[in-house]
Amino acid sequence: MRRSCIDRIFLILSISLIFYIGWFIFNSISRISRDPDEEIAYLHAISGSSPMIHNIQLCSSNEIDLIIIIISSGSQFLERQAIRETWGSMSHIMNVHSQRLFVVGYHYGSGLYKDLLYEAQNEQDLLYLTVNDDSITLKELYAYRWLDKYCPNVKFTFKTDDDLFINSFLLHEIIRELKTNPDQFQNRYLYNSSLDSLFLAHLNPDAHTFLFGWAFQPGKPERNASMVPYYVSYKEYSKDLYPRYCSSFGYLMDSKTRSLLVDEGFKDKYPFRFSDIFITGILPERLNFICDALPFTYHQGTAEQCIDIIKQHNKKTLQLSTPPLIVCSTGRHVAQNTFSDYYRIWTVLKFVFGNRIHTTQSRKSKN
Ligand SMILES: *[C@@H]1O[C@H](CO)[C@@H](O)[C@H](O)[C@H]1NC(C)=O
Ligand SMILES: *[C@@H]1O[C@H](CO)[C@@H](O)[C@H](O)[C@H]1NC(C)=O
């Protein structure tokens, strides 16, 4: 009885050993057969130090006023290309210099290293980080930390996502206003929208709190465990209400505010996974400020609605009662394969806003 029991244990151990050796050999073979570039990328990613690919010359011209951070994903090349050819195509307009920067993370096994390297060399607008491509909060924090190091003199940062459409004419106009005669800040309007709150935050030397976007009142975390991926456990976030925050659609901040947020954000070992709530809500709450409303129109809906909103600001039918559009969603936001949205909205936007602008527009991207 005892003997057969020992035999059986011995048999199980032998089988386990054989499986282990087999697994080990299989792994070694698959490692050898892996693409050598991917192998280097993998080793780089797990060492986790500097970005995989970055352009340290991005801000070397020293005249850049605005960095547009666009959170993307390794595989979303078509979104990036559509943005490069549409709203992200301006780099110097109305005497405002800007630079776009797409942020992607590393995804083990995606096999995208060579493609991204090629894209980065061609476009010079890619920040390929070693952090997990799915960790949006970390991508954003690491991108800001990178800006602190390589773009310290750039005053403004606008953050958005690659499935959205930005009225980049208006965005540049806002920066132009903030740059021009800041001492005469009273009664400054842009398309009948008061810029008072922006100037107050911009000019107050003690306030490191320039953060503006699509502000939401405090809301409840999703506590129903079947509502994946929105479900938030008490361990992740313990309070009953989120603080006021700004939507990930797009927010504008100055570099002082950005640095404050980075320093505070890196104190958390596991930063909250909803980046907009974390970066524009939870962190500002800890630092005693809020994300304020950018006085322009944000719209989540179809491309047709977006185009209609833009058309309202056509010179001929000028209706100033609603502020002009600053950000709207494209079909990509709801995972539709409608890359044409970017081009359709852009055509109308150029017609309505581009015609007003007399300064020359130069393109930096090589296309
Ligand atoms: C949680 O969500 C599921 C799916 O929507 C729903 O059927 C269920 O009733 C919800 N539970 C509670 C407690 O609200
Ligand atoms: C401009 O805004 C003010 C309120 O801020 C409003 O009373 C006025 O009607 C607006 N003008 C136009 C032309 O819409």
Side-chain angles (χ1 to χ4, degrees):
M1 190 67 188
R2 174 170 273 186
R3 185 98 224 168
S4 80
C5 186
I6 289 170
D7 277 353
R8 225 175 266 173
I9 288 171
F10 185 72
L11 183 70
I12 289 169
L13 282 178
S14 314
I15 292 173
S16 312
L17 187 67
I18 290 166
F19 266 107
Y20 177 73
I21 292 171
W23 179 78
F24 186 80
I25 291 171
F26 172 79
N27 248 316
S28 317
I29 291 171
S30 60
R31 241 168 187 287
I32 291 161
S33 63
R34 210 190 282 155
D35 184 328
D37 289 318
E38 283 302 319
E39 182 70 23
I40 292 167
Y42 170 72
L43 293 174
H44 186 147
I46 55 171
S47 79
S49 49
S50 60
M52 309 276 268
I53 302 169
H54 58 154
N55 172 11
I56 59 170
Q57 301 296 324
L58 189 81
C59 298
S60 57
S61 84
N62 246 355
E63 320 177 305
I64 297 165
D65 304 295
L66 168 70
I67 287 277
I68 304 174
I69 287 282
I70 307 152
I71 303 294
S72 186
S73 189
S75 59
Q76 277 155 218
F77 170 76
L78 291 175
E79 281 88 342
R80 291 193 288 280
Q81 203 51 26
I83 289 171
R84 287 180 183 118
E85 291 173 2
T86 61
W87 68 259
S89 62
M90 324 172 194
S91 58
H92 179 203
I93 187 169
M94 297 176 275
N95 210 20
V96 172
H97 292 254
S98 69
Q99 193 56 260
R100 54 167 195 257
L101 183 64
F102 292 102
V103 181
V104 305
Y106 179 70
H107 196 287
Y108 174 71
S110 68
L112 287 171
Y113 179 74
K114 259 197 249 176
D115 292 345
L116 289 169
L117 183 62
Y118 182 71
E119 183 183 341
Q121 283 167 350
N122 265 307
E123 304 291 346
Q124 304 289 331
D125 62 0
L126 205 65
L127 175 60
Y128 185 13
L129 297 165
T130 53
V131 299
N132 187 323
D133 207 17
D134 296 330
S135 307
I136 299 164
T137 304
L138 284 182
K139 274 155 71 175
E140 198 171 327
L141 284 176
Y142 275 88
Y144 295 164
R145 181 185 260 182
W146 188 90
L147 290 179
D148 275 352
K149 187 164 180 196
Y150 293 102
C151 301
N153 298 320
V154 178
K155 208 158 236 145
F156 295 102
T157 307
F158 188 80
K159 179 266 157 194
T160 187
D161 296 335
D162 68 359
D163 54 4
L164 301 169
F165 191 96
I166 310 303
N167 181 349
S168 39
F169 292 103
L170 178 58
L171 183 57
H172 284 74
E173 280 182 282
I174 295 170
I175 304 299
R176 180 198 61 197
E177 286 304 311
L178 290 169
K179 269 179 74 178
T180 315
N181 301 328
D183 300 338
Q184 294 155 20
F185 63 89
Q186 272 154 337
N187 294 321
R188 292 278 289 269
Y189 288 86
L190 193 53
Y191 301 103
N192 207 30
S193 293
S194 167
L195 299 179
D196 276 0
S197 53
L198 280 89
F199 273 106
L200 281 174
H202 182 45
L203 292 174
N204 182 355
D206 300 326
H208 310 290
T209 59
F210 188 101
L211 179 62
F212 291 88
W214 190 8
F216 285 109
Q217 290 311 314
K220 284 185 180 163
E222 176 60 69
R223 299 299 191 190
N224 182 341
S226 58
M227 301 300 282
V228 179
Y230 304 104
Y231 168 66
V232 171
S233 69
Y234 281 92
K235 201 175 157 219
E236 269 185 292
Y237 188 76
S238 60
K239 295 185 187 171
D240 288 334
L241 283 179
Y242 288 130
R244 175 192 163 107
Y245 70 96
C246 285
S247 153
S248 65
F249 265 47
Y251 34 88
L252 181 66
M253 62 194 134
D254 69 5
S255 50
K256 278 190 210 159
T257 308
R258 196 188 67 214
S259 301
L260 271 184
L261 293 173
V262 172
D263 291 347
E264 189 64 30
F266 273 110
K267 288 181 187 164
D268 287 25
K269 196 172 172 199
Y270 301 106
F272 191 56
R273 77 190 133 104
F274 297 127
S275 63
D276 48 3
I277 296 175
F278 184 67
I279 288 172
T280 70
I282 294 172
L283 297 180
E285 185 182 45
R286 283 193 216 155
L287 296 162
N288 281 316
F289 71 98
I290 54 164
C291 184
D292 218 335
L294 190 64
F296 299 99
T297 301
Y298 285 84
H299 184 75
Q300 177 162 10
T302 64
E304 279 65 34
Q305 291 165 348
C306 183
I307 288 170
D308 283 344
I309 294 170
I310 294 169
K311 279 184 179 164
Q312 286 177 12
H313 286 266
N314 199 342
K315 248 186 193 161
K316 287 188 190 127
T317 55
L318 199 60
Q319 274 176 25
L320 287 174
S321 47
T322 46
L325 180 102
I326 182 77
V327 184
C328 66
S329 50
T330 70
R332 295 301 299 148
H333 195 68
V334 285
Q336 288 171 351
N337 266 324
T338 50
F339 292 96
S340 60
D341 282 1
Y342 295 87
Y343 300 89
R344 285 166 52 221
I345 303 170
W346 179 237
T347 305
V348 177
L349 189 79
K350 267 196 299 188
F351 180 77
V352 173
F353 283 83
N355 283 349
R356 279 204 256 267
I357 285 145
H358 305 295
T359 332
T360 47
Q361 171 183 343
S362 73
R363 278 163 189 250
K364 254 192 187 171
S365 66
K366 304 165 194 169
N367 49 30

